[in-house]
Protein backbone atom coordinates (compact mmCIF):
# COMPACT_ATOMS: atom_id res chain seq x y z
CA UNK A 1 0.00 0.00 0.00
CA UNK A 2 1.03 3.61 -0.51
CA UNK A 3 1.69 4.38 3.16
CA UNK A 4 4.59 1.95 3.40
CA UNK A 5 6.28 3.59 0.42
CA UNK A 6 5.97 7.12 1.79
CA UNK A 7 6.24 6.39 5.52
CA UNK A 8 9.14 8.82 6.01
CA UNK A 9 7.06 11.67 4.62
CA UNK A 10 4.18 10.79 6.91
CA UNK A 11 6.13 10.78 10.18
CA UNK A 12 6.02 14.56 10.59
CA UNK A 13 2.27 14.85 9.94
CA UNK A 14 -0.25 15.16 12.74
CA UNK A 15 -2.30 12.00 13.10
CA UNK A 16 -4.82 10.53 12.65
CA UNK A 17 -5.63 11.24 9.02
CA UNK A 18 -6.90 9.53 5.90
CA UNK A 19 -4.31 9.00 3.20
CA UNK A 20 -5.70 8.75 -0.33
CA UNK A 21 -3.78 7.13 -3.16
CA UNK A 22 -5.06 9.18 -6.09
CA UNK A 23 -3.15 7.08 -8.63
CA UNK A 24 -4.89 3.93 -7.39
CA UNK A 25 -8.26 5.69 -7.48
CA UNK A 26 -7.59 6.71 -11.07
CA UNK A 27 -6.55 3.15 -11.97
CA UNK A 28 -9.74 1.79 -10.38
CA UNK A 29 -11.92 4.25 -12.25
CA UNK A 30 -10.18 3.45 -15.54
CA UNK A 31 -10.85 -0.24 -14.98
CA UNK A 32 -14.50 0.24 -14.05
CA UNK A 33 -15.25 2.64 -16.90
CA UNK A 34 -13.44 0.69 -19.60
CA UNK A 35 -14.99 -2.63 -18.59
CA UNK A 36 -18.48 -1.13 -18.39
CA UNK A 37 -18.06 0.43 -21.85
CA UNK A 38 -17.72 -3.03 -23.39
CA UNK A 39 -21.39 -3.64 -22.66
CA UNK A 40 -22.77 -0.11 -22.69
CA UNK A 41 -23.40 -0.17 -18.94
CA UNK A 42 -24.08 3.06 -17.03
CA UNK A 43 -22.12 3.66 -13.83
CA UNK A 44 -23.14 5.67 -10.79
CA UNK A 45 -20.97 6.27 -7.74
CA UNK A 46 -22.62 5.70 -4.34
CA UNK A 47 -21.60 8.94 -2.68
CA UNK A 48 -22.33 7.60 0.81
CA UNK A 49 -19.08 5.63 0.60
CA UNK A 50 -16.92 8.75 0.53
CA UNK A 51 -17.75 12.36 -0.30
CA UNK A 52 -14.26 13.84 0.03
CA UNK A 53 -14.06 16.76 -2.46
CA UNK A 54 -10.87 15.59 -4.20
CA UNK A 55 -12.25 12.07 -4.51
CA UNK A 56 -15.50 13.37 -5.99
CA UNK A 57 -13.66 15.62 -8.44
CA UNK A 58 -11.73 12.67 -9.86
CA UNK A 59 -14.86 10.51 -10.08
CA UNK A 60 -16.61 13.33 -11.96
CA UNK A 61 -13.68 13.47 -14.37
CA UNK A 62 -14.44 9.88 -15.39
CA UNK A 63 -18.07 10.64 -16.18
CA UNK A 64 -19.85 8.62 -13.50
CA UNK A 65 -23.27 9.59 -12.26
CA UNK A 66 -24.10 9.72 -8.56
CA UNK A 67 -26.30 7.54 -6.36
CA UNK A 68 -27.53 9.39 -3.27
CA UNK A 69 -29.19 8.27 -0.05
CA UNK A 70 -30.16 11.64 1.43
CA UNK A 71 -31.09 15.14 0.39
CA UNK A 72 -27.76 16.44 1.63
CA UNK A 73 -25.97 13.90 -0.55
CA UNK A 74 -27.96 15.19 -3.53
CA UNK A 75 -26.93 18.75 -2.64
CA UNK A 76 -23.30 17.68 -2.20
CA UNK A 77 -23.25 16.03 -5.63
CA UNK A 78 -24.79 19.09 -7.30
CA UNK A 79 -22.36 21.42 -5.53
CA UNK A 80 -19.51 19.19 -6.71
CA UNK A 81 -20.62 19.84 -10.28
CA UNK A 82 -22.49 16.66 -11.15
CA UNK A 83 -25.37 17.06 -13.59
CA UNK A 84 -28.71 16.50 -11.79
CA UNK A 85 -29.75 14.40 -14.80
CA UNK A 86 -27.03 11.93 -13.78
CA UNK A 87 -28.11 11.79 -10.13
CA UNK A 88 -30.36 9.08 -8.67
CA UNK A 89 -31.89 9.53 -5.22
CA UNK A 90 -32.62 6.36 -3.25
CA UNK A 91 -33.18 5.79 0.46
CA UNK A 92 -35.81 4.06 2.52
CA UNK A 93 -36.83 7.16 4.50
CA UNK A 94 -36.84 10.39 2.51
CA UNK A 95 -37.95 13.45 4.47
CA UNK A 96 -40.60 15.72 2.98
CA UNK A 97 -38.22 18.61 2.35
CA UNK A 98 -35.72 16.23 0.73
CA UNK A 99 -38.32 14.92 -1.72
CA UNK A 100 -39.40 18.46 -2.58
CA UNK A 101 -35.78 19.46 -3.13
CA UNK A 102 -35.20 16.44 -5.41
CA UNK A 103 -38.32 17.32 -7.43
CA UNK A 104 -37.10 20.90 -7.79
CA UNK A 105 -33.67 19.80 -9.04
CA UNK A 106 -35.06 17.48 -11.73
CA UNK A 107 -32.97 14.38 -11.01
CA UNK A 108 -32.56 11.43 -13.34
CA UNK A 109 -34.80 9.41 -11.03
CA UNK A 110 -36.05 9.10 -7.48
CA UNK A 111 -36.00 5.45 -6.46
CA UNK A 112 -39.06 4.81 -4.28
CA UNK A 113 -38.97 2.15 -1.58
CA UNK A 114 -42.59 1.85 -0.43
CA UNK A 115 -46.07 2.24 -1.88
CA UNK A 116 -46.80 5.08 0.53
CA UNK A 117 -43.69 6.91 -0.61
CA UNK A 118 -45.00 6.77 -4.19
CA UNK A 119 -48.28 8.37 -3.12
CA UNK A 120 -46.57 11.09 -1.10
CA UNK A 121 -44.13 11.86 -3.90
CA UNK A 122 -47.00 12.03 -6.39
CA UNK A 123 -48.76 14.61 -4.20
CA UNK A 124 -45.61 16.72 -3.92
CA UNK A 125 -45.04 16.50 -7.68
CA UNK A 126 -48.63 17.55 -8.35
CA UNK A 127 -48.27 20.53 -6.01
CA UNK A 128 -45.13 21.56 -7.91
CA UNK A 129 -46.87 21.12 -11.27
CA UNK A 130 -44.36 18.53 -12.41
CA UNK A 131 -44.15 14.91 -13.52
CA UNK A 132 -41.31 13.14 -11.74
CA UNK A 133 -39.25 10.23 -13.07
CA UNK A 134 -39.08 7.42 -10.54
CA UNK A 135 -37.60 3.97 -10.17
CA UNK A 136 -39.30 1.18 -8.27
CA UNK A 137 -36.90 -0.32 -5.76
CA UNK A 138 -37.98 -3.93 -5.67
CA UNK A 139 -36.82 -6.31 -2.94
CA UNK A 140 -35.72 -9.49 -4.76
CA UNK A 141 -35.36 -11.71 -1.64
CA UNK A 142 -31.79 -12.86 -2.31
CA UNK A 143 -29.15 -13.80 0.26
CA UNK A 144 -25.99 -11.90 -0.83
CA UNK A 145 -23.74 -14.09 1.35
CA UNK A 146 -22.15 -11.15 3.11
CA UNK A 147 -22.19 -9.63 6.60
CA UNK A 148 -25.83 -9.68 7.72
CA UNK A 149 -25.48 -6.05 8.84
CA UNK A 150 -24.99 -4.93 5.24
CA UNK A 151 -27.34 -7.18 3.28
CA UNK A 152 -30.29 -5.28 1.87
CA UNK A 153 -32.16 -7.62 -0.45
CA UNK A 154 -33.73 -10.31 1.73
CA UNK A 155 -37.48 -10.56 2.21
CA UNK A 156 -37.61 -9.06 5.70
CA UNK A 157 -35.25 -6.17 4.93
CA UNK A 158 -36.39 -2.58 5.43
CA UNK A 159 -35.24 -1.80 1.89
CA UNK A 160 -37.41 -1.85 -1.20
CA UNK A 161 -40.97 -2.89 -2.03
CA UNK A 162 -41.72 -6.60 -2.05
CA UNK A 163 -42.12 -8.03 -5.53
CA UNK A 164 -45.52 -9.43 -4.57
CA UNK A 165 -46.74 -6.01 -3.42
CA UNK A 166 -45.60 -4.37 -6.65
CA UNK A 167 -47.61 -6.91 -8.64
CA UNK A 168 -50.66 -6.53 -6.42
CA UNK A 169 -50.57 -2.73 -6.54
CA UNK A 170 -49.51 -2.29 -10.16
CA UNK A 171 -52.72 -0.54 -11.21
CA UNK A 172 -52.54 1.78 -8.21
CA UNK A 173 -48.96 2.71 -9.09
CA UNK A 174 -49.84 3.38 -12.73
CA UNK A 175 -52.73 5.61 -11.63
CA UNK A 176 -50.34 8.15 -10.08
CA UNK A 177 -50.49 10.81 -12.79
CA UNK A 178 -47.52 12.88 -11.65
CA UNK A 179 -45.09 9.96 -11.59
CA UNK A 180 -43.37 8.37 -14.56
CA UNK A 181 -42.10 4.91 -13.65
CA UNK A 182 -38.90 5.08 -15.62
CA UNK A 183 -37.03 2.10 -14.28
CA UNK A 184 -36.52 -0.59 -11.70
CA UNK A 185 -33.88 -0.68 -9.00
CA UNK A 186 -32.55 -3.61 -7.00
CA UNK A 187 -29.68 -3.78 -4.52
CA UNK A 188 -29.00 -6.94 -2.55
CA UNK A 189 -26.16 -5.87 -0.27
CA UNK A 190 -22.58 -4.76 0.10
CA UNK A 191 -19.14 -6.41 0.17
CA UNK A 192 -20.21 -9.32 -2.05
CA UNK A 193 -17.28 -11.63 -2.80
CA UNK A 194 -19.24 -14.69 -3.95
CA UNK A 195 -19.78 -13.55 -7.53
CA UNK A 196 -22.27 -16.30 -8.36
CA UNK A 197 -24.73 -14.29 -6.25
CA UNK A 198 -24.97 -11.92 -9.22
CA UNK A 199 -26.23 -14.85 -11.32
CA UNK A 200 -29.11 -15.33 -8.87
CA UNK A 201 -29.81 -11.62 -9.06
CA UNK A 202 -30.05 -11.75 -12.84
CA UNK A 203 -32.47 -14.67 -12.71
CA UNK A 204 -34.75 -12.72 -10.38
CA UNK A 205 -34.45 -9.50 -12.37
CA UNK A 206 -35.36 -11.24 -15.62
CA UNK A 207 -38.61 -12.55 -14.16
CA UNK A 208 -39.50 -9.28 -12.43
CA UNK A 209 -38.90 -7.16 -15.54
CA UNK A 210 -40.86 -9.53 -17.76
CA UNK A 211 -43.88 -9.43 -15.46
CA UNK A 212 -43.76 -5.67 -14.88
CA UNK A 213 -43.67 -5.07 -18.63
CA UNK A 214 -46.70 -7.36 -19.04
CA UNK A 215 -48.48 -5.19 -16.48
CA UNK A 216 -47.83 -2.09 -18.56
CA UNK A 217 -44.67 -0.60 -17.08
CA UNK A 218 -42.30 0.74 -19.73
CA UNK A 219 -38.99 0.62 -17.81
CA UNK A 220 -36.24 2.46 -19.68
CA UNK A 221 -33.55 1.15 -17.36
CA UNK A 222 -32.78 -1.57 -14.84
CA UNK A 223 -30.47 -0.67 -11.95
CA UNK A 224 -28.91 -3.82 -10.52
CA UNK A 225 -27.20 -1.96 -7.68
CA UNK A 226 -23.57 -2.41 -6.69
CA UNK A 227 -22.23 -4.49 -3.84
CA UNK A 228 -18.98 -5.74 -5.40
CA UNK A 229 -16.59 -6.42 -2.53
CA UNK A 230 -12.92 -5.66 -2.02
CA UNK A 231 -10.09 -7.70 -0.52
CA UNK A 232 -9.89 -6.55 3.09
CA UNK A 233 -7.70 -9.52 4.06
CA UNK A 234 -4.85 -8.98 1.60
CA UNK A 235 -5.49 -5.71 -0.26
CA UNK A 236 -2.08 -5.73 -1.92
CA UNK A 237 -3.12 -8.87 -3.83
CA UNK A 238 -6.19 -7.20 -5.35
CA UNK A 239 -5.88 -3.41 -5.32
CA UNK A 240 -8.48 -3.06 -8.11
CA UNK A 241 -11.73 -5.04 -7.75
CA UNK A 242 -12.81 -7.56 -10.35
CA UNK A 243 -15.20 -5.42 -12.39
CA UNK A 244 -14.58 -7.51 -15.52
CA UNK A 245 -16.02 -10.69 -14.00
CA UNK A 246 -19.11 -8.99 -12.57
CA UNK A 247 -19.92 -7.29 -15.87
CA UNK A 248 -19.35 -10.54 -17.79
CA UNK A 249 -21.73 -12.39 -15.45
CA UNK A 250 -24.40 -9.73 -15.83
CA UNK A 251 -23.97 -9.70 -19.60
CA UNK A 252 -24.34 -13.46 -19.80
CA UNK A 253 -27.35 -13.82 -17.50
CA UNK A 254 -29.34 -10.59 -17.60
CA UNK A 255 -32.11 -10.58 -20.23
CA UNK A 256 -34.00 -7.29 -20.04
CA UNK A 257 -34.79 -6.60 -23.67
CA UNK A 258 -32.14 -4.05 -24.54
CA UNK A 259 -32.92 -1.72 -21.64
CA UNK A 260 -30.12 0.35 -20.13
CA UNK A 261 -28.34 -1.47 -17.31
CA UNK A 262 -27.11 0.68 -14.42
CA UNK A 263 -24.71 -0.02 -11.56
CA UNK A 264 -24.04 1.98 -8.42
CA UNK A 265 -20.65 1.13 -6.96
CA UNK A 266 -19.29 2.75 -3.83
CA UNK A 267 -16.87 0.54 -1.92
CA UNK A 268 -15.50 -1.01 -5.12
CA UNK A 269 -14.50 2.44 -6.41
CA UNK A 270 -12.92 4.02 -3.33
CA UNK A 271 -12.35 1.27 -0.75
CA UNK A 272 -8.76 0.40 -1.53
CA UNK A 273 -7.49 3.92 -2.26
CA UNK A 274 -7.84 5.07 1.36
CA UNK A 275 -5.85 4.25 4.49
CA UNK A 276 -6.28 5.53 8.04
CA UNK A 277 -2.88 6.54 9.40
CA UNK A 278 -2.65 6.49 13.18
CA UNK A 279 0.12 6.85 15.75
CA UNK A 280 0.84 4.65 18.76
CA UNK A 281 0.25 6.46 22.04
CA UNK A 282 0.90 3.79 24.64
CA UNK A 283 1.53 0.10 25.23
CA UNK A 284 0.17 -1.79 28.20
CA UNK A 285 -0.47 -5.34 29.32
CA UNK A 286 -3.73 -6.38 30.98
CA UNK A 287 -4.00 -8.61 34.05
CA UNK A 288 -4.71 -11.53 31.73
CA UNK A 289 -1.50 -10.91 29.80
CA UNK A 290 -3.08 -9.35 26.74
CA UNK A 291 -0.79 -6.80 25.09
CA UNK A 292 -2.62 -3.64 24.10
CA UNK A 293 -1.47 -1.01 21.65
CA UNK A 294 -3.40 2.22 22.16
CA UNK A 295 -3.48 4.40 19.05
CA UNK A 296 -4.61 7.99 18.58
CA UNK A 297 -7.56 7.12 16.35
CA UNK A 298 -10.74 5.38 17.39
CA UNK A 299 -14.23 4.37 16.34
CA UNK A 300 -14.85 8.08 15.75
CA UNK A 301 -12.50 7.94 12.76
CA UNK A 302 -13.34 4.39 11.62
CA UNK A 303 -16.46 2.85 13.12
CA UNK A 304 -16.79 -0.25 10.93
CA UNK A 305 -14.98 -2.70 13.29
CA UNK A 306 -17.02 -1.53 16.31
CA UNK A 307 -20.28 -1.22 14.38
CA UNK A 308 -20.43 -4.63 12.74
CA UNK A 309 -17.20 -6.47 13.36
CA UNK A 310 -15.61 -5.51 10.06
CA UNK A 311 -12.01 -6.58 9.49
CA UNK A 312 -9.24 -4.28 8.26
CA UNK A 313 -5.64 -5.33 7.70
CA UNK A 314 -3.22 -3.32 9.87
CA UNK A 315 0.51 -2.78 9.37
CA UNK A 316 3.24 -1.00 11.33
CA UNK A 317 4.88 1.14 8.64
CA UNK A 318 7.75 2.60 10.70
CA UNK A 319 9.03 -0.20 12.95
CA UNK A 320 12.41 -1.66 12.01
CA UNK A 321 12.25 -4.51 14.50
CA UNK A 322 12.54 -8.13 13.37
CA UNK A 323 10.81 -9.31 16.52
CA UNK A 324 7.11 -10.15 16.20
CA UNK A 325 4.52 -9.71 18.92
CA UNK A 326 0.79 -10.33 19.02
CA UNK A 327 -1.20 -7.23 19.94
CA UNK A 328 -4.75 -6.00 20.38
CA UNK A 329 -5.10 -2.59 18.71
CA UNK A 330 -7.48 -0.29 20.56
CA UNK A 331 -8.60 3.30 20.17
CA UNK A 332 -9.14 6.29 22.43
CA UNK A 333 -12.95 6.34 22.65
CA UNK A 334 -14.66 5.54 25.96
CA UNK A 335 -16.26 2.36 24.63
CA UNK A 336 -15.16 -1.24 25.16
CA UNK A 337 -16.01 -2.03 21.53
CA UNK A 338 -13.45 0.54 20.31
CA UNK A 339 -11.11 -2.19 19.05
CA UNK A 340 -9.55 -2.35 15.59
CA UNK A 341 -8.09 -5.85 15.86
CA UNK A 342 -8.27 -8.37 18.70
CA UNK A 343 -5.06 -10.22 17.95
CA UNK A 344 -2.65 -9.22 15.23
CA UNK A 345 1.01 -10.10 14.73
CA UNK A 346 3.15 -6.99 14.18
CA UNK A 347 6.82 -6.12 14.49
CA UNK A 348 7.62 -4.95 18.01
CA UNK A 349 5.48 -1.82 18.27
CA UNK A 350 6.29 1.15 20.49
CA UNK A 351 5.10 4.65 21.28
CA UNK A 352 5.38 6.93 18.24
CA UNK A 353 5.19 4.20 15.60
CA UNK A 354 2.82 4.77 12.68
CA UNK A 355 0.22 2.15 11.86
CA UNK A 356 -1.90 2.00 8.74
CA UNK A 357 -5.42 0.62 8.83
CA UNK A 358 -5.89 -0.44 5.23
CA UNK A 359 -8.84 -0.52 2.84
CA UNK A 360 -10.48 2.39 4.65
CA UNK A 361 -11.45 4.53 1.68
CA UNK A 362 -15.10 3.49 1.86
CA UNK A 363 -17.34 4.12 4.87
CA UNK A 364 -14.40 5.42 6.89
CA UNK A 365 -14.22 9.17 6.69
CA UNK A 366 -17.87 9.41 5.61
CA UNK A 367 -19.02 7.65 8.83
CA UNK A 368 -16.70 9.51 11.18
CA UNK A 369 -18.14 11.39 14.14
CA UNK A 370 -17.23 13.84 16.88
CA UNK A 371 -18.03 11.51 19.77
CA UNK A 372 -15.92 12.44 22.82
CA UNK A 373 -15.53 15.77 20.97
CA UNK A 374 -12.82 14.31 18.78
CA UNK A 375 -11.83 16.36 15.76
CA UNK A 376 -12.95 14.98 12.43
CA UNK A 377 -10.08 13.33 10.56
CA UNK A 378 -8.46 15.32 7.77
CA UNK A 379 -7.40 14.13 4.32
CA UNK A 380 -3.91 13.81 2.89
CA UNK A 381 -3.50 13.06 -0.83
CA UNK A 382 -0.72 11.17 -2.54
CA UNK A 383 -0.12 13.92 -5.07
CA UNK A 384 0.40 16.55 -2.34
CA UNK A 385 3.07 14.88 -0.20
Amino acid sequence: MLSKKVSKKLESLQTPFYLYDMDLLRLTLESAVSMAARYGYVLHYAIKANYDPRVLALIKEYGLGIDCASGNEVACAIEAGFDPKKIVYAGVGKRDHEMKYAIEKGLYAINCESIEELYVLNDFAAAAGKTVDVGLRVNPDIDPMTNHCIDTGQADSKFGISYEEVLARAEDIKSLKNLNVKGMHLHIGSQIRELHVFEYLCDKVNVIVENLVKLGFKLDYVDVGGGLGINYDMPENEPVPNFASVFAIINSHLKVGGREVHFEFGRAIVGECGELITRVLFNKTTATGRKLVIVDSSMTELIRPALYGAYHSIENITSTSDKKERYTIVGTACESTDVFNESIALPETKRGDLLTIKSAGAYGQSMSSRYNLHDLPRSVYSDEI
Side-chain angles (χ1 to χ4, degrees), residues 232-294:
Y232 282 102
D233 296 318
M234 301 186 70
E236 292 85 359
N237 289 356
E238 193 182 348
V240 177
N242 193 355
F243 296 106
S245 291
V246 171
F247 293 149
I249 289 170
I250 298 294
N251 182 63
S252 296
H253 293 83
L254 192 66
K255 309 298 178 185
V256 292
R259 291 174 173 82
E260 275 192 352
V261 178
H262 293 209
F263 293 82
E264 48 185 55
F265 295 118
R267 185 192 316 270
I269 299 293
V270 296
E272 295 293 19
C273 77
E275 304 172 68
L276 177 58
I277 308 302
T278 185
R279 197 179 304 272
V280 176
L281 295 174
F282 308 108
N283 287 262
K284 74 175 180 182
T285 303
T286 69
T288 62
R290 186 168 58 142
K291 294 184 176 181
L292 304 183
V293 169
I294 304 165

Side-chain angles (χ1 to χ4, degrees), residues 4-22:
K4 186 71 172 179
K5 299 175 185 176
V6 298
S7 59
K8 293 296 183 184
K9 295 181 179 180
L10 303 181
E11 287 182 319
S12 62
L13 301 181
Q14 183 175 336
T15 52
F17 59 85
Y18 276 91
L19 175 65
Y20 291 110
D21 186 339
M22 303 305 285

Side-chain angles (χ1 to χ4, degrees), residues 49-304:
N50 191 313
Y51 46 83
D52 178 89
R54 285 283 317 272
V55 169
L56 287 182
L58 190 54
I59 290 170
K60 180 177 177 292
E61 183 180 318
Y62 279 82
L64 276 70
I66 294 288
D67 169 76
C68 299
S70 74
N72 283 348
E73 288 187 356
V74 174
C76 178
I78 292 174
E79 290 167 7
F82 288 87
D83 182 352
K85 286 300 181 186
K86 297 182 73 173
I87 296 175
V88 175
Y89 179 20
V92 69
K94 304 176 185 72
R95 300 172 178 88
D96 289 4
H97 73 274
E98 293 176 313
M99 286 191 281
K100 292 174 183 178
Y101 175 73
I103 291 170
E104 174 194 336
K105 293 301 178 182
L107 307 185
Y108 178 81
I110 300 175
N111 289 335
C112 294
E113 305 209 19
S114 68
I115 298 297
E116 186 169 18
E117 181 186 342
L118 288 163
Y119 275 88
V120 171
L121 186 64
N122 184 70
D123 289 344
F124 289 153
K130 295 186 177 183
T131 299
V132 176
D133 291 328
V134 301
L136 299 177
R137 180 166 182 177
V138 180
N139 188 313
D141 190 18
I142 293 176
D143 182 355
M145 300 182 184
T146 185
N147 187 320
H148 72 91
C149 296
I150 52 177
D151 69 41
T152 61
Q154 296 199 63
D156 199 38
S157 168
K158 73 177 184 179
F159 297 97
I161 312 169
S162 75
Y163 173 45
E164 292 76 14
E165 188 175 16
V166 172
L167 295 181
R169 301 292 297 275
E171 293 305 316
D172 295 336
I173 296 170
K174 289 191 296 180
S175 73
L176 300 174
K177 302 301 183 185
N178 290 85
L179 300 185
N180 172 40
V181 179
K182 186 177 184 178
M184 186 185 71
H185 171 220
L186 301 96
H187 181 63
I188 58 175
S190 189
Q191 185 49 23
I192 298 169
R193 297 284 287 170
E194 301 289 339
L195 296 189
H196 62 271
V197 167
F198 291 104
E199 296 181 19
Y200 305 152
L201 174 63
C202 290
D203 292 341
K204 284 286 184 80
V205 171
N206 293 341
V207 173
I208 294 171
V209 169
E210 180 182 2
N211 287 327
L212 290 183
V213 171
K214 287 179 180 177
L215 290 170
F217 292 103
K218 182 182 177 184
L219 304 182
D220 295 332
Y221 72 91
V222 175
D223 183 339
V224 295
L228 175 62
I230 63 175
N231 192 336
Y232 282 102
D233 296 318
M234 301 186 70
E236 292 85 359
N237 289 356
E238 193 182 348
V240 177
N242 193 355
F243 296 106
S245 291
V246 171
F247 293 149
I249 289 170
I250 298 294
N251 182 63
S252 296
H253 293 83
L254 192 66
K255 309 298 178 185
V256 292
R259 291 174 173 82
E260 275 192 352
V261 178
H262 293 209
F263 293 82
E264 48 185 55
F265 295 118
R267 185 192 316 270
I269 299 293
V270 296
E272 295 293 19
C273 77
E275 304 172 68
L276 177 58
I277 308 302
T278 185
R279 197 179 304 272
V280 176
L281 295 174
F282 308 108
N283 287 262
K284 74 175 180 182
T285 303
T286 69
T288 62
R290 186 168 58 142
K291 294 184 176 181
L292 304 183
V293 169
I294 304 165
V295 296
D296 65 359
S297 59
S298 71
M299 61 191 290
T300 64
E301 285 78 28
L302 181 63
I303 198 173
R304 297 185 70 253

